[in-house]
């Protein structure tokens, strides 16, 4: 949904109410970023120890969400215009494309070489927790974004919802590897993450934002 579409749906609000909403948006962004730092640290360590492409890809997605959160803080602090918002969306899109390239190479190498990722119960716990909590954060950000008529905030909320979807894919892959010995489920889950990240990257580059979260 574009900024113009949001503006048509929402009335002009009093300045004090808008300032309060902007503070809430910044607090939600900072809170989400604090979790993404923890999420990245746990996922990257667990991924390296288990040689898991899915966990490593998930950790890199956490960095992308961290960058998106800082974009929101920057926009509201500097009161940037549409040109700055557009530039920020394209930078985020570029980081998604890097993520996709890494996952494709790593997962293809794992599948072709028959390398078996180890079981990671830490990764399973992380994926389960994230799948439960990210939709709540996304919903809160989305509500604030609509009230502020901010497509950037709505788009960042969509990234948190996508994180929940990725957590479900990660959880399925890690559990299949741990319980059934389906080692290929781990890199297969990573390819699902890559597909979702590619779509989000294309949407961000085009200046589109998901309104589904």
């Amino acid at each position: 949904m574009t900024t113009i579409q949001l503006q048509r749906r929402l009335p002009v609000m009093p300045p004090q109410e808008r300032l309060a909403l902007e503070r809430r948006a910044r607090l939600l962004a900072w809170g989400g970023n604090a979790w993404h730092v923890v999420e990245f640290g746990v996922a990257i360590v667990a991924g390296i120890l288990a040689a898991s492409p899915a966990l490593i890809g998930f950790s890199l997605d956490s960095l992308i969400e961290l960058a998106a959160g800082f974009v929101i803080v920057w926009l509201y602090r500097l009161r940037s215009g549409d040109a700055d918002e557009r530039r920020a969306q394209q930078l985020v899109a570029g980081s998604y494309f890097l993520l996709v390239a890494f996952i494709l190479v790593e997962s293809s190498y794992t599948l072709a070489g028959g390398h078996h990722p180890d079981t990671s119960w830490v990764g399973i716990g992380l994926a389960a927790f994230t799948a439960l909590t990210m939709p709540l954060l996304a919903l809160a950000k989305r509500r604030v974004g609509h009230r502020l008529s901010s497509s950037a905030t709505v788009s960042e909320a969509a990234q948190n919802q996508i994180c929940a979807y990725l957590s479900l894919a990660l959880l399925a892959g890690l559990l299949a590897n741990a319980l059934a010995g389906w080692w290929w489920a781990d890199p297969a889950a990573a390819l699902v993450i890559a597909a979702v990240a590619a779509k989000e990257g294309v949407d961000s580059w085009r200046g589109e934002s998901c309104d589904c979260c």
Side-chain angles (χ1 to χ4, degrees):
M1 179 176 292
T2 64
T3 303
I4 294 176
Q5 288 173 320
L6 284 169
Q7 288 173 340
R8 288 174 179 172
R9 291 177 52 185
L10 298 172
V12 177
M13 67 178 65
Q16 290 303 318
E17 182 179 352
R18 182 171 186 85
L19 287 174
L21 286 172
E22 289 180 355
R23 283 194 296 270
R24 187 183 305 174
R26 289 197 300 270
L27 286 174
L28 287 170
W30 278 117
N33 280 358
W35 167 246
H36 291 317
V37 170
V38 175
E39 185 180 66
F40 167 76
V42 173
I44 192 67
V45 172
I48 292 173
L49 291 177
S52 168
L55 271 170
I56 295 174
F58 188 74
S59 72
L60 296 180
D61 178 73
S62 300
L63 290 182
I64 291 172
E65 292 189 78
L66 184 67
F70 280 123
V71 167
I72 297 302
V73 173
W74 170 69
L75 284 175
Y76 286 126
R77 177 163 294 182
L78 298 182
R79 305 296 173 86
S80 303
D82 292 340
D84 290 325
E85 182 171 340
R86 181 75 187 109
R87 191 177 302 112
Q89 285 180 324
Q90 290 178 331
L91 288 174
V92 171
S95 64
Y96 268 103
F97 297 145
L98 291 175
L99 171 63
V100 171
F102 171 83
I103 292 177
L104 288 177
V105 171
E106 185 68 17
S107 297
S108 298
Y109 173 77
T110 301
L111 288 169
H115 302 288
H116 295 197
D118 296 328
T119 297
S120 176
W121 292 107
V122 172
I124 289 171
L126 175 67
F129 181 82
T130 304
L132 292 174
T133 56
M134 279 298 105
L136 301 178
L137 180 62
L139 178 61
K141 289 182 177 181
R142 179 174 179 263
R143 286 176 174 172
V144 172
H146 278 300
R147 292 185 64 187
L148 285 170
S149 185
S150 169
S151 60
T153 305
V154 173
S155 180
E156 203 244 334
Q159 289 193 2
N160 292 147
Q161 185 63 40
I162 288 172
C163 181
Y165 299 148
L166 299 184
S167 300
L168 292 174
L170 176 65
L171 183 61
L174 295 180
L175 282 175
N177 183 36
L179 301 179
W182 295 352
W183 64 269
W184 48 264
D186 186 294
L191 291 176
V192 172
I193 294 175
V196 177
K199 181 184 183 303
E200 180 66 11
V202 171
D203 288 346
S204 182
W205 185 265
R206 293 174 176 172
E208 300 172 359
S209 61
C210 175
D211 194 35
C212 58
C213 59

